[in-house]
Amino acid sequence: GQPLSISEKIETINKEFVLPNNDFEIVENVINEPIKIGELRKLNINVLTDINPIESGAHLIYKFKIRSICANSVSLYFNQFVLSENTRVFFYNDSEIYGSYNYLNVIHKSKPVFVSPMMDGDGFIVEINILKEEKSSNLITVSDLIHRPIGNEFMNQQLKKLQEELAADRTDCLVD
């Protein structure tokens, strides 16, 4: 499926959170230390209390934009991701849509957390579609934003380089 606001042509964004730019030090890969690929930025967004929903038929649409100035890609960490059976979560920008995510996508059932996809650009829209009658069964809190000063393309290049290095190390295992 797709977000209700897209199918119903609702362009309203309930709230926008903008995090300022910080200077980043990108650490070179010396002595096998990992490259710093981002910074964790603290947030405290309780979606059901901090965002005013848009009513659409039997649904409530919680829609907000998150931006981190000068980021090449961003992701969100939900430290509480308790969803009712019919709740759907989407992440999107001008070029990509991820979702729908639901209660089956939590990382640990005993501690329901979730990490959004890493999306290119300095921000994206989060949309959560909840049936009005199921609102009280949801608990959704964003605790952190992952700000990446380098893009996914760079990370893909790094991954490819690492894969090539691993493949080269394994050439002694090949049998003719």
Side-chain angles (χ1 to χ4, degrees):
Q2 66 178 355
L4 284 174
S5 68
I6 291 176
S7 62
E8 297 182 13
K9 297 182 171 78
I10 299 170
E11 295 183 16
T12 304
I13 294 176
N14 303 82
K15 198 166 194 173
E16 182 171 4
F17 298 91
V18 180
L19 286 81
N21 181 35
N22 289 343
D23 291 330
F24 289 92
E25 176 185 340
I26 298 182
V27 180
E28 294 296 325
N29 191 4
V30 242
I31 320 171
N32 296 322
E33 290 184 18
I35 295 174
K36 181 177 181 179
I37 59 167
E39 177 178 271
L40 203 59
R41 296 182 172 191
K42 290 291 179 198
L43 295 171
N44 186 22
I45 303 169
N46 181 327
V47 174
L48 301 181
T49 59
D50 295 343
I51 311 296
N52 293 321
I54 299 166
E55 292 193 34
S56 177
H59 288 88
L60 295 171
I61 300 171
Y62 291 84
K63 183 177 174 182
F64 64 96
K65 185 171 188 175
I66 189 84
R67 287 188 58 223
S68 189
I69 304 299
C70 294
N72 281 318
S73 55
V74 290
S75 179
L76 293 176
Y77 175 74
F78 292 79
N79 64 328
Q80 295 179 322
F81 199 72
V82 178
L83 305 179
S84 62
E85 185 176 342
N86 295 298
T87 295
R88 299 294 179 260
V89 180
F90 300 88
F91 306 96
Y92 56 95
N93 56 26
D94 292 336
S95 60
E96 48 191 354
I97 297 176
Y98 288 96
S100 76
Y101 296 94
N102 61 38
Y103 71 99
L104 298 173
N105 296 110
V106 298
I107 294 175
H108 301 289
K109 301 291 184 215
S110 60
K111 184 174 190 244
V113 298
F114 180 78
V115 180
S116 75
M118 183 64 72
M119 296 186 68
D120 286 333
D122 69 353
F124 56 89
I125 294 170
V126 178
E127 182 170 327
I128 303 169
N129 303 151
I130 299 175
L131 281 174
K132 290 177 185 177
E133 63 198 39
E134 294 182 0
K135 179 183 174 184
S136 63
S137 300
N138 292 273
L139 180 59
I140 308 163
T141 306
V142 181
S143 63
D144 299 283
L145 176 136
I146 302 163
H147 171 115
R148 197 186 270 177
I150 51 181
N152 287 336
E153 182 177 325
F154 174 82
M155 293 309 298
N156 290 337
Q157 290 171 355
Q158 293 297 101
L159 182 58
K160 184 176 181 185
K161 183 178 174 184
L162 179 61
Q163 289 170 335
E164 289 169 357
E165 288 173 6
L166 289 172
D169 289 345
R170 295 181 154 266
T171 55
D172 60 338
C173 298
L174 297 177
V175 178
D176 289 328

